[in-house]
C-alpha cells in the first residue's frame, strides 16, 4: 500500500530473528547456476530457453502462441493505455452510489460518513467476479477498499482544504466507511456496457465497523478477548483489505494487510509487547488517527484489539445474512492475497504471502475435503498451517533448489511444542510470525500475491522488492533489491498438499536500459528487455488458458533506476517461454491491482488504486477533478478472449 508518502510500513522490517543460515548456500547456487548471468552467453542457456534469446537480441517479443496481443510502450500520461484492439472503461469509482438511497457523489469529496457508508469505498484493491448461474453478463463484483490516503493528496475530506490535523469523529467515521469491501450486482447490457444494477438487494457495503465473527481454532482465546467482547468471538469490521481470494464454494476472501498502522496510543509510555512490535505496531499516534476517537484502536487501553486483525475474512457475497468470518486457522500476519486450490484428495489448500521485508510464504491445508454440490461452510476452520523454507540443493533439470513446508502446529512441531511463548495452538495462530521465526522459515523480499497455474498446479509468487536486503539467499539473490522478482515452485507429486517442493525464479525484474551490462544483477533476468521492463511486481493471476498476468506497485518516477519504466502497469507472461509483454499502463501515480475474469474470459476486471497519490492526477474524470480509484472493465474490441 501507499498509505503514507514518507513511511511505507511494509518497507520497515520488524523481523529480527536469525534465520540467515543459508545466505552462503545461496550465493553458491547463484554462482553455480550462473543465474544472474542470463543473457550473457554460455551461462545464459539455463535461464533463457530458445526463443528468449531472440527476445533479448531483437528487443521485441517472439511470437508466444499464448500471448496474442501487441505489447505497448511504457508511458507517463495521466491516462490508461492498453494494447491495440482492446478497450478499458471505468466502473464503480470511489463514491459511486451503491445502496438504495445513496446520494450522488459530491465532486469536491465532501460527502459525509453516512453517505460514504452507502457508496463504493476508496482505494480499490482485490477483486472477484462471482457469476450468476455461470453467466458472463451478470454477477456479483466484490472489491476490497484497502485504505484511505492520509497525508499527501488528501481526497476523502475536501481535497486541498482539510488535513488530518482537522480530524474529528465525523471524519474518522467517514474514513472507516471508505474502508472494507463493496459487493456490486453488475450486469452487461446489450451494447456491452457493464453497470451496477440499481436497487439490487445484493448491493452491499462491509466497513471497518461491520459486525463479524472470529472463527476457527483461535476464536475465544484469551488474547482475542476485549472489554467490548469478552467472548473473543465477535469483532467489529475489517480494514486494510489488500489482495483477495475466492473459494470453490463461491465465497470471497478479503485479506487484512497493514492492520498495525491503525493501532496507536496517546499514552506517553510505550506499552507495546514484543509481539506487538513484531507485528509493526509503532509507539504514539497513527497517521489515521482512529485511536483518538475510538478507544479500541488505542493499544494502551485495549491491548488485545489489534490481535483481532491481520486475518483472512471469508464473506458470502450471495447471502447478506451470513456474518463475515475471520478464519483464524489461516494465521495472523500482513496478509496479501489467498490463492485457493485443491489437493489431490480435494482438501482445500490456500497459499498466502506476508508482505513486509523479510517475511514469509505460507500455506494452509484443510482437514476435510471439498465436496462439490454440498454445503461447505467451515472448511477453512480446521487444518494445518505451514511456512516455507527454501533450500539450495542440487535439483535435476532447471530448478534452483528444493524446499519444505514446515508445520506451524504446536502438537506436530517439536520446536513449537517446547516453546513456552505458545501455550496452545491458538497462540501459534495469533502470533504466526513468531512461530514462523522459531522454525527457520526463509525470509523473503516482501511476498505479495500468489497464483496457481490452472493446469500444472505450479505456484507463482511476487516478491515485490526489498531495497534494504543486505545479505542474499537463493530465492532473494540480490542485495538492495529495488526491482523485485517472481518465484515459482512445484509441489512434490504435483499435489498441493505435499510438504516438499522444488522451486526456481521465473523473472528478476530490472532495468536493462540503464544497466546495459547483462552481468549486472540490476539488468534483470534475460526475459526482461528495454521494451517490457517494470519494477515491483505485486498483483498476480493466471487466466484459464494459463497466461500469467502481472501487476505492478512500484516506483513511477521514470528517472534514474526507473528511467523508461513509466507508470505502474499490467503485463502478461507465457509461463513456458517466459516471454513477458506489457498489456496496460495505468494513470499517473497509481498502482494496478486486483484481477478477475468472467467465465468466458471475455471481460477482465482490474483496479486502478490511488491515482494521484501525491496530488498529480485527475483520473478518471479529467479536468481539475479529484482523482478516484476505480475498476477498469477490459474487453477485446472483436469480442474475443482477453489476452489473445
Ligand atoms: Fe497492499 Fe502488499 O500490498
Ligand atoms: Ca496498494
Ligand atoms: Ca499489493
Ligand atoms: Ca505492493
Amino acid at each position: 500500500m501507499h498509505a503514507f508518502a514518507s513511511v511505507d510500513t511494509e518497507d520497515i522490517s520488524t523481523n529480527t530473528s536469525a534465520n540467515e543460515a543459508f545466505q552462503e548456500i545461496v550465493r553458491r547456487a547463484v554462482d553455480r547456476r550462473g543465474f544472474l548471468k542470463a543473457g550473457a552467453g554460455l551461462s545464459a542457456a539455463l535461464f533463457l530457453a530458445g526463443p528468449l534469446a531472440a527476445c533479448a537480441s531483437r528487443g521485441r517479443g517472439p511470437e508466444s502462441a499464448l500471448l496474442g496481443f501487441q505489447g505497448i510502450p511504457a508511458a507517463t500520461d495521466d491516462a490508461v493505455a492498453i494494447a491495440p484492439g482492446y478497450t478499458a472503461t471505468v466502473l464503480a469509482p470511489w463514491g459511486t452510489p451503491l445502496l438504495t438511497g445513496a446520494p450522488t457523489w459530491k465532486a469536491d469529496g465532501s460527502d459525509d460518513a453516512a453517505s460514504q457508508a452507502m457508496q463504493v469505498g476508496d482505494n480499490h484493491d482485490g477483486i472477484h467476479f462471482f457469476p450468476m448461474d455461470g453467466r458472463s453478463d451478470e454477477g456479483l463484483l466484490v472489491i476490497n477498499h484497502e485504505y484511505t490516503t492520509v497525508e499527501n493528496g488528501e481526497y476523502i475530506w475536501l481535497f486541498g482544504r482539510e488535513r488530518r490535523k482537522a480530524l474529528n469523529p465525523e471524519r474518522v467515521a467517514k474514513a472507516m466507511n471508505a474502508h472494507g469491501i463493496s459487493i456490486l450486482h453488475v450486469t452487461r447490457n446489450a451494447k456491452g456496457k457493464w453497470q451496477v444494477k440499481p436497487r439490487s438487494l445484493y448491493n452491499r457495503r462491509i466497513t471497518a465497523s461491520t459486525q463479524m465473527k472470529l472463527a476457527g481454532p483461535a476464536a475465544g482465546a484469551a488474547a482475542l478477548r476485549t472489554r467490548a467482547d469478552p467472548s473473543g468471538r465477535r469483532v467489529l469490521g475489517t480494514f486494510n483489505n489488500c489482495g483477495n481470494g475466492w473459494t470453490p464454494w463461491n465465497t470471497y476472501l478479503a485479506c487484512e494487510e497493514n492492520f498495525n498502522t491503525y493501532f496507536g496510543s496517546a499514552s506517553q509510555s510505550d506499552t507495546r509487547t514484543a509481539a506487538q512490535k513484531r507485528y509493526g505496531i509503532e509507539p504514539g499516534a497513527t497517521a489515521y488517527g482512529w485511536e483518538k476517537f475510538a478507544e479500541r484502536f488505542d493499544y494502551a487501553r485495549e491491548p488485545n484489539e489489534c490481535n483481532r486483525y491481520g486475518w483472512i475474512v471469508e464473506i458470502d457475497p450471495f447471502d447478506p445474512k451470513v456474518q463475515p468470518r475471520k478464519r483464524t486457522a489461516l494465521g495472523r500476519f500482513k496478509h496479501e492475497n489467498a490463492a485457493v486450490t485443491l489437493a489431490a484428495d480435494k482438501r482445500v489448500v490456500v497459499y498466502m504471502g506476508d508482505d513486509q521485508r523479510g517475511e514469509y510464504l505460507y500455506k494452509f491445508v484443510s482437514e476435510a475435503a471439498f465436496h462439490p454440490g454440498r454445503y461447505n461452510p467451515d472448511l477453512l476452520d480446521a487444518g494445518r498451517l505451514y511456512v516455507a523454507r527454501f533450500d539450495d540443493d542440487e535439483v535435476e533439470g532447471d530448478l534452483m533448489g528444493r524446499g519444505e513446508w514446515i508445520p506451524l502446529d504446536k502438537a506436530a512441531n517439536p520446536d513449537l511444542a517446547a516453546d513456552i511463548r505458545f501455550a496452545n495452538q491458538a497462540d501459534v495462530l495469533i502470533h504466526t510470525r513468531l512461530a514462523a521465526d522459531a522454525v527457520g522459515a526463509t525470509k523473503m523480499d516482501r511476498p505479495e500475491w500468489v497464483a496457481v497455474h490452472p493446469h500444472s498446479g505450479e505456484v507463482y509468487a511476487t516478491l515485490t522488492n526489498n531495497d534494504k536486503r543486505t545479505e542474499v539467499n537463493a530465492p532473494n539473490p540480490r542485495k538492495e533489491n529495488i526491482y523485485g522478482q517472481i518465484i515459482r515452485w512445484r509441489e512434490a507429486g504435483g499435489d498441493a498438499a505435499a510438504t516438499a517442493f522444488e522451486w526456481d525464479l521465473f523473472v528478476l525484474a530490472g532495468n536493462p536500459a540503464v544497466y546495459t551490462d547483462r552481468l549486472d544483477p540490476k539488468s534483470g533476468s534475460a526475459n526482461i528487455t528495454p521494451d517490457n521492463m517494470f519494477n515491483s511486481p505485486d498483483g498476480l493471476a493466471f487466466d484459464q488458458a494459463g497466461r500469467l498476468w502481472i501487476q505492478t506497485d512500484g516506483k513511477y518516477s521514470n528517472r534514474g533506476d526507473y528511467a523508461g519504466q513509466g507508470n505502474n502497469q499490467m503485463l502478461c507472461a507465457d509461463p513456458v517461454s517466459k516471454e513477458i509483454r506489457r498489456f496496460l499502463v495505468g494513470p499517473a501515480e497509481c498502482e494496478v491491482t486486483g484481477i478477475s475474469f468472467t467465465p468466458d474470459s471475455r471481460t477482465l476486471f482490474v483496479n486502478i488504486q490511488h491515482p494521484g497519490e501525491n496530488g498529480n492526477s485527475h483520473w478518471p474524470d479529467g479536468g481539475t477533478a479529484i482523482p478516484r480509484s476505480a475498476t477498469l472493465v477490459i474487453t477485446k474490441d472483436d469480442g474475443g478472449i482477453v489476452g489473445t
Side-chain angles (χ1 to χ4, degrees):
M1 76 171 210
H2 279 260
F4 317 114
S6 53
V7 182
D8 190 346
T9 57
E10 296 118 339
D11 287 350
I12 305 161
S13 175
T14 54
N15 191 348
T16 53
S17 71
N19 295 334
E20 280 136 18
F22 71 83
Q23 319 288 7
E24 283 287 323
I25 311 177
V26 174
R27 200 165 314 113
R28 278 193 284 111
V30 172
D31 289 347
R32 184 180 68 238
R33 294 294 189 183
F35 185 62
L36 291 174
K37 300 187 181 76
L42 282 180
S43 55
L46 177 76
F47 196 63
L48 53 125
L52 280 168
C55 168
S57 59
R58 282 209 314 249
R60 182 158 283 284
E63 300 316 309
S64 159
L66 206 52
L67 309 183
F69 63 91
Q70 191 182 320
I72 60 170
T76 56
D77 302 333
D78 188 23
V80 172
I82 195 164
Y86 284 85
T87 300
T89 58
V90 171
L91 178 72
W94 160 54
T96 299
L98 181 59
L99 306 191
T100 302
T104 304
W105 182 72
K106 293 194 173 81
D108 64 356
S110 64
D111 281 300
D112 63 11
S115 300
Q116 178 64 80
M118 298 190 284
Q119 299 166 332
V120 169
D122 196 9
N123 278 325
H124 303 35
D125 203 317
I127 189 167
H128 191 71
F129 177 82
F130 291 89
M132 293 282 198
D133 304 319
R135 300 170 69 115
S136 288
D137 62 357
E138 182 173 9
L140 302 183
L141 197 59
V142 187
I143 302 172
N144 283 350
H145 302 294
E146 189 181 27
Y147 70 103
T148 52
T149 311
V150 198
E151 285 176 337
N152 276 352
E154 180 51 70
Y155 304 118
I156 75 157
W157 307 296
L158 302 174
F159 175 55
R161 284 189 279 145
E162 304 282 353
R163 304 297 258 188
R164 71 184 184 90
K165 62 175 179 279
L167 279 180
N168 59 35
E170 160 67 22
R171 291 188 180 128
V172 165
K174 180 174 181 184
M176 289 183 175
N177 291 342
H179 281 71
I181 290 113
S182 291
I183 299 169
L184 303 89
H185 186 174
V186 293
T187 57
R188 192 185 66 205
N189 69 17
K191 291 181 179 165
K193 184 176 166 54
W194 284 88
Q195 51 209 357
V196 179
K197 190 173 181 183
R199 294 177 298 282
S200 168
L201 293 176
Y202 290 111
N203 291 336
R204 185 174 153 202
R205 279 301 319 278
I206 290 166
T207 72
S209 313
T210 301
Q211 184 72 57
M212 46 191 74
K213 292 196 161 95
L214 287 153
L224 297 184
R225 294 179 204 151
T226 62
R227 276 173 291 170
D229 171 35
S231 76
R233 294 173 185 277
R234 296 167 55 79
V235 61
L236 281 182
T238 181
F239 46 82
N240 214 278
N241 302 104
C242 186
N244 68 296
W246 70 97
T247 67
W249 53 96
N250 283 325
T251 59
Y252 183 82
L253 303 175
C255 303
E256 296 180 337
E257 193 188 22
N258 294 298
F259 66 93
N260 57 305
T261 58
Y262 298 76
F263 291 93
S265 178
S267 167
Q268 295 303 310
S269 59
D270 184 356
T271 64
R272 292 175 304 155
T273 63
Q276 286 172 337
K277 289 178 185 170
R278 181 67 183 83
Y279 277 87
I281 289 174
E282 297 288 331
T286 67
Y288 290 105
W290 294 6
E291 77 281 1
K292 295 187 182 73
F293 304 99
E295 192 176 283
R296 65 190 178 108
F297 294 101
D298 187 328
Y299 57 76
R301 292 167 179 268
E302 195 54 271
N304 284 349
E305 184 72 2
C306 61
N307 294 338
R308 294 143 63 86
Y309 301 86
W311 302 103
I312 286 180
V313 189
E314 185 172 8
I315 296 164
D316 184 345
F318 292 96
D319 190 349
K321 292 190 297 298
V322 177
Q323 280 190 9
R325 257 69 167 178
K326 298 196 179 190
R327 299 297 186 188
T328 63
L330 276 56
R332 175 172 166 266
F333 42 92
K334 295 188 183 180
H335 280 285
E336 182 70 24
N337 85 324
V340 180
T341 190
L342 295 178
D345 59 7
K346 305 290 186 244
R347 283 181 292 161
V348 182
V349 176
V350 187
Y351 293 101
M352 302 169 282
D354 181 355
D355 180 9
Q356 192 167 339
R357 294 177 198 280
E359 295 301 335
Y360 309 123
L361 280 159
Y362 296 87
K363 85 170 173 186
F364 167 85
V365 181
S366 71
E367 200 170 282
F370 167 67
H371 292 283
R374 271 199 229 162
Y375 187 47
N376 295 274
D378 297 312
L379 275 182
L380 300 182
D381 275 350
R384 181 168 284 180
L385 185 64
Y386 298 86
V387 66
R389 194 190 67 222
F390 292 83
D391 297 328
D392 162 43
D393 45 3
E394 194 81 33
V395 178
E396 284 179 23
D398 63 353
L399 290 171
M400 288 285 295
R402 298 179 201 279
E404 190 182 326
W405 290 106
I406 309 168
L408 295 177
D409 187 310
K410 178 85 179 160
N413 189 321
D415 288 333
L416 297 177
D419 194 327
I420 56 166
R421 292 176 303 168
F422 310 107
N424 49 42
Q425 185 61 14
D427 284 346
V428 170
L429 295 170
I430 293 165
H431 296 128
T432 304
R433 280 184 167 185
L434 282 75
D437 293 342
V439 301
T442 300
K443 293 180 178 182
M444 311 298 280
D445 288 343
R446 293 187 54 194
E448 299 245 33
W449 289 54
V450 187
V452 182
H453 191 287
H455 311 138
S456 72
E458 288 174 5
V459 191
Y460 289 60
T462 46
L463 302 170
T464 197
N465 59 51
N466 181 355
D467 65 3
K468 299 288 193 297
R469 183 172 282 279
T470 52
E471 288 184 86
V472 300
N473 59 34
N476 307 277
R478 290 181 291 189
K479 293 181 181 176
E480 296 169 8
N481 174 17
I482 59 172
Y483 296 116
Q485 66 264 23
I486 297 177
I487 192 171
R488 61 181 175 180
W489 60 90
R490 186 183 296 161
E491 303 277 12
D495 184 0
T499 56
F501 59 88
E502 296 176 348
W503 63 272
D504 79 351
L505 292 171
F506 178 69
V507 61
L508 286 145
N511 192 326
V514 170
Y515 297 98
T516 53
D517 177 0
R518 298 310 301 247
L519 289 169
D520 189 325
K522 286 187 168 173
S523 73
S525 50
N527 49 348
I528 293 296
T529 72
D531 285 337
N532 71 4
M533 61 183 180
F534 59 92
N535 72 87
S536 307
D538 188 337
L540 193 70
F542 282 99
D543 61 24
Q544 286 177 33
R547 292 179 205 87
L548 181 66
W549 296 85
I550 304 165
Q551 301 171 318
T552 73
D553 171 24
K555 294 286 201 303
Y556 41 71
S557 68
N558 206 39
R559 289 199 298 265
D561 286 333
Y562 309 101
Q565 300 191 334
N567 295 348
N568 277 308
Q569 53 196 271
M570 181 162 73
L571 308 103
C572 189
D574 179 330
V576 177
S577 73
K578 295 187 175 176
E579 184 192 348
I580 300 172
R581 258 181 235 176
R582 187 181 294 114
F583 178 76
L584 177 147
V585 180
E589 299 180 350
C590 81
E591 141 186 9
V592 182
T593 183
I595 174 164
S596 187
F597 290 85
T598 50
D600 65 5
S601 300
R602 292 169 201 274
T603 301
L604 164 61
F605 300 98
V606 306
N607 286 321
I608 297 297
Q609 190 190 58
H610 63 69
E613 66 175 347
N614 291 311
N616 300 300
S617 170
H618 302 287
W619 189 88
D621 301 329
T624 57
I626 295 174
R628 303 158 85 185
S629 295
T631 297
L632 289 181
V633 181
I634 293 164
T635 51
K636 197 174 182 192
D637 297 342
D638 67 4
I641 288 171
V642 176
T644 59

